[in-house]
Amino acid sequence: NAGVTQTPKFQVLKTGQSMTLQCAQDMNHNSMYWYRQDPGMGLRLIYYSASEGTTDKGEVPNGYNVSRLNKREFSLRLESAAPSQTSVYFCASSGRDRLNNEQFFGPGTRLTVL
Amino acid sequence: GIQVEQSPPDLILQEGANSTLRCNFSDSVNNLQWFHQNPWGQLINLFYIPSGTKQNGRLSATTVATERYSLLYISSSQTTDSGVYFCAVEYGDYKLSFGAGTTVTVRA
């Protein structure tokens, strides 16, 4: 049981390049989330998927797109990377049960945009 | 959106000391989680605590939802307790809003 996994762990991009961050969970969770963490700050929600087939914007969606590929996988795409997107990106999942919606996080992807 | 404030922002402890971290939030929430972010960046789930008190070893947490705050207690601190502690509140459509964190440094 690996929990939430993310690839890659590190990435360096040049301004204008594109890339996709991958996330997978093996806990049979319904909901998945993408957050970013900037230095000295807490995490901020970029996009989330309440259930397979649905996606919604979070607090800071500009410059990103997402795809809920199936119940296990949720990807985050940067179409044209900008230096302001330098950050650590975390994926999370939860069961979306009113009695227990505890979120579990992956190890993060450290992205630098030059 | 919901505002989440954590205090203090930084805490330096001598090994063996006790401490209390506080989390205030600005509106009613569905739930609340405490996390520890270790020096390698991994977020470790500590407590999922919408109300009441829970204990896990040397750590315990209390949430008073009606007064919009939660407390995290660390007793007999160890160097492995160092890191950043985040409070996150669940609102709306199962979303989390995070505080800025408390950075804890435990010195041997």
Side-chain angles (χ1 to χ4, degrees), chain A residues 16 27 50:
Chain A
M27 295 176 281

Side-chain angles (χ1 to χ4, degrees), chain A residues 33 37 48 96 101-103, chain B residues 33 37 45 48 93-94:
Chain A
Y33 311 81
Q37 183 180 25
Y48 67 104
R96 198 179 176 80
N101 191 54
E102 188 173 4
Q103 290 192 23
Chain B
Q33 287 187 243
Q37 187 168 40
N45 291 40
Y48 182 72
D93 192 16
Y94 298 93

Side-chain angles (χ1 to χ4, degrees), chain A residues 26-89:
Chain A
D26 63 2
M27 295 176 281
N28 199 35
H29 281 165
N30 292 312
S31 298
M32 297 185 73
Y33 311 81
W34 277 105
Y35 294 86
R36 61 178 286 173
Q37 183 180 25
D38 298 307
M41 298 177 67
L43 282 68
R44 292 182 293 169
L45 183 64
I46 304 171
Y47 269 94
Y48 67 104
S49 171
S51 60
E52 189 178 353
T54 69
T55 60
D56 286 286
K57 295 178 180 179
E59 184 184 352
V60 287
N62 290 345
Y64 305 96
N65 286 301
V66 291
S67 295
R68 183 74 181 267
L69 304 171
N70 48 55
K71 190 171 185 179
R72 289 186 64 248
E73 298 172 290
F74 188 38
S75 63
L76 178 72
R77 183 160 177 84
L78 287 70
E79 290 291 353
S80 179
S84 61
Q85 294 178 304
T86 293
S87 189
V88 180
Y89 291 85

Side-chain angles (χ1 to χ4, degrees), chain B residues 63-89:
Chain B
T63 297
V64 184
T66 53
E67 297 186 23
R68 300 179 185 169
Y69 74 90
S70 183
L71 303 174
L72 178 71
Y73 305 95
I74 305 174
S75 65
S76 303
S77 58
Q78 301 177 358
T79 55
T80 52
D81 295 330
S82 295
V84 184
Y85 290 80
F86 288 105
C87 164
V89 299

Side-chain angles (χ1 to χ4, degrees), chain B residues 11-17 36-40 58-59 74-85 103-108:
Chain B
L11 192 58
I12 299 175
L13 301 171
Q14 202 64 33
E15 199 169 29
H36 175 214
Q37 187 168 40
N38 64 24
W40 296 270
R58 295 180 296 99
L59 301 181
I74 305 174
S75 65
S76 303
S77 58
Q78 301 177 358
T79 55
T80 52
D81 295 330
S82 295
V84 184
Y85 290 80
T103 300
V104 173
T105 303
V106 182
R107 293 180 173 163

Side-chain angles (χ1 to χ4, degrees), chain A residues 6 8 16-17 25 44 95 97 107-108:
Chain A
Q6 294 182 233
Q17 288 185 315
Q25 53 92 8
R44 292 182 293 169
D97 180 332

